[in-house]
Amino acid sequence: MPVDFNGTWNLVSNDNFEGYMTALGIDFATRKIAKMLKPQKVIKQDGDLFSIHTTSTFRDYTLQFKIGEEFEEDNKGLDNRKCKSLVTWDDDKLICVQTGEKKNRGWTHWLEGDDLHLELRCENQVCKQVFKRA
Ligand code: ECB
């Protein structure tokens, strides 16, 4: 029985988001705005199907995927690059590999206690975000 990520989650910490955005080539002005945001995630998990809506006062991002099925991701409103993404389980962690122009790009979600953790990776940068239930 896999972990249940369903819920509404509010960002409470965001370590090295600046480094992650810089690795993605996000311009200075956008980084200044983006790093002030406290995004909310709404995760819906139904068997192998997931939707993750990340919303903020500045931009929103929606991702839908099925575990084990590669899909084209266009990162619209983020760095706007396209990549091929694949999400799989690694024990209780949800791991996404985003294959494209940027090396070592991807993310990992897991639960610790009742907190949602997200590690965002790009090239040599790792951003660590923690969310609490709304
Ligand atoms: C959507 C809220 C953040 C908006 C930031 C706006 C501009 C910065 C541009 C690029 C930065 C790259 C990523 C932003 C960080 C988080 C957004 C979603 C990251 C993500 O891929 O989450 C996954 C895992 O929950 C689901 O898409």
Side-chain angles (χ1 to χ4, degrees):
M1 188 64 183
V3 182
D4 184 4
F5 288 98
N6 278 294
T8 300
W9 303 91
N10 292 330
L11 183 84
V12 293
S13 68
N14 196 2
D15 182 47
N16 195 39
F17 190 39
E18 175 75 10
Y20 174 74
M21 288 192 289
T22 302
L24 282 172
I26 306 301
D27 68 84
F28 179 85
T30 304
R31 294 201 311 270
K32 294 305 119 184
I33 297 166
K35 74 182 188 185
M36 300 302 295
L37 301 173
K38 297 285 178 224
Q40 183 174 75
K41 277 188 197 285
V42 176
I43 301 182
K44 293 191 164 75
Q45 176 180 349
D46 179 11
D48 284 348
L49 296 175
F50 282 76
S51 71
I52 304 180
H53 292 264
T54 309
T55 60
S56 74
T57 54
F58 180 51
R59 285 183 194 161
D60 300 334
Y61 188 68
T62 296
L63 190 67
Q64 294 182 68
F65 57 87
K66 184 174 181 181
I67 298 293
E69 233 172 58
E70 193 176 56
F71 59 99
E72 177 144 311
E73 184 175 4
D74 73 2
N75 296 283
K76 200 167 159 54
L78 303 180
D79 68 320
N80 294 306
R81 285 187 188 82
K82 291 190 171 150
C83 57
K84 296 270 193 200
S85 300
L86 175 65
V87 185
T88 54
W89 288 109
D90 179 14
D91 292 324
D92 287 344
K93 292 189 174 186
L94 208 52
I95 302 200
C96 180
V97 175
Q98 296 172 307
T99 305
E101 188 187 331
K102 289 290 178 183
K103 299 291 174 213
N104 191 38
R105 183 172 183 172
W107 51 258
T108 301
H109 264 304
W110 70 97
L111 297 179
E112 263 182 54
D114 204 34
D115 294 343
L116 174 72
H117 288 243
L118 173 61
E119 183 182 278
L120 294 160
R121 299 175 291 276
C122 182
E123 296 182 325
N124 62 341
Q125 297 295 313
V126 179
C127 168
K128 177 67 192 301
Q129 301 186 335
V130 180
F131 298 78
K132 289 194 177 291
R133 285 194 187 274

